[in-house]
Each structure stands twice: as C-alpha cells, then as structure tokens.
C-alpha cells in the first residue's frame, strides 16, 4: 500500500482556482499517465477488497461517475470481480434505482441498474475523493436498495477538513492520501 500512497502524493497536481476561485482542484491525470504509479495505486486500492490473509472478500466493485470508473474498473480486475457503474440520473439504459443527495450548491441524483449488484453481495466502493461524503453515502444507499452490502470504501484522496469520513459511519475507509 505504501507504493500506492507514495504515487498519489507524488503525482497529484494541485490546480488553484479551478473550477472557480478559491478551489484547489486535485488533478489525477498525471497519475493516470504514469504506468508504474497507476499500477501501484490500483494495487493499493484493491487491498481494501482483500482480507488479512490476502483473499478477496468482495463480490463486486462499484465506482461512481466519472473518476470512480477510472480507478474502480482496474481495481475490480485486480480482484477478479465484476465492476458496476453508478451514473448520473438519465444515463443508464435499463431499470434503475435512483438516489438524490445534497451538494454544496444544490442537489444531484445517482443511479444504478436494479440488477447491478445482487442481494447478499459484498461490495467495495471506489472513487477518487472523499469530501463531504454525499456521493459515497448516496452510492451506499443504492447498493443497499439492491439488497447488497458495502463492506468498504477505497479512495485516492481524503479532504480531512470536510466531514466525509464521519458520514460513512463504521464502514471501513481506505484512503491513500489525506489533505
């Protein structure tokens, strides 16, 4: 896990005042472009889906649009399990569960196919950033509506000055880098 954490710390680029003044955007594209750093990051995130003995303890990986797709898909492949996308409302073609949640500036809605995860499956949720926890909490609610259980969250970056971790309660959270 140390190599993945080091890669994230070294390869994330701060972009001040993007997308608006006062915001420091964390750009992951240099990490994605570095094969060794990306591989180390994926391996580190995948550890959240393994037990103490190294065995896989999840049935599916769920990633949220859009950067959760970039990291969740290779994590699922590393674990040998399927990947399920959680998308913005109106983007999935079949029957979905939807979950709305509050943003700093309004509301958003996420969706998952009703058969994306099966009842009783154990799910690892993968995304890039844990901030307020709204997206993660909404995603967990979608997984639970399918009858499955979120057994952990694996994230590149945690903004510790925001209450995201507290919003996730007792569910284990793995973050590779904290600011």
């Amino acid at each position: 896990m140390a190599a993945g954490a080091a890669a994230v710390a070294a390869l994330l680029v701060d972009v001040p005042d993007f997308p608006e003044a006062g915001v420091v955007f964390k750009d992951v594209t240099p990490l994605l472009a570095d094969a060794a750093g990306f591989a180390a990051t994926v391996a580190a995130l995948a550890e959240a889906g393994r037990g103490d003995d190294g065995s896989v303890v999840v049935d599916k990986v769920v990633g949220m649009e859009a950067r959760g797709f970039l990291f969740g898909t290779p994590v699922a492949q590393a674990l040998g399990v399927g990947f399920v996308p959680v998308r913005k409302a109106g983007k999935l073609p079949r029957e979905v569960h939807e979950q709305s949640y509050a943003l700093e500036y309004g509301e958003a809605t996420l969706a998952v196919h009703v058969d994306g995860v099966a009842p009783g499956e154990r799910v690892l949720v993968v995304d890039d950033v844990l901030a307020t926890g709204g997206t993660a909490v909404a995603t967990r609610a979608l997984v639970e509506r399918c009858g499955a259980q979120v057994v952990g969250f694996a994230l590149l970056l945690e903004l510790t000055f925001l209450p995201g971790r507290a919003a996730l309660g007792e569910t284990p959270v793995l973050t590779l880098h904290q600011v």
Side-chain angles (χ1 to χ4, degrees), residues 43-95:
L45 291 170
E47 286 303 309
R50 297 186 187 281
D52 292 339
D53 63 355
S55 65
V56 175
V57 297
V58 298
D59 302 300
K60 295 271 176 57
V61 170
V62 168
M64 296 86 94
E65 190 167 339
R67 290 184 285 185
F69 297 174
L70 297 172
F71 295 99
T73 303
V75 166
Q77 186 174 31
L79 293 170
V81 301
F83 175 79
V84 177
V86 168
R87 304 234 25 217
K88 295 175 184 170
K91 299 291 184 178
L92 292 172
R94 296 182 288 109
E95 184 181 358

Side-chain angles (χ1 to χ4, degrees), residues 34 42 73 75 82 93 101 112 128 134-135 156 175-177:
D34 185 285
V42 168
T73 303
V75 166
Y101 63 102
V112 67
D128 63 332
T135 304
L156 261 63
T175 57
L176 300 183
H177 186 69

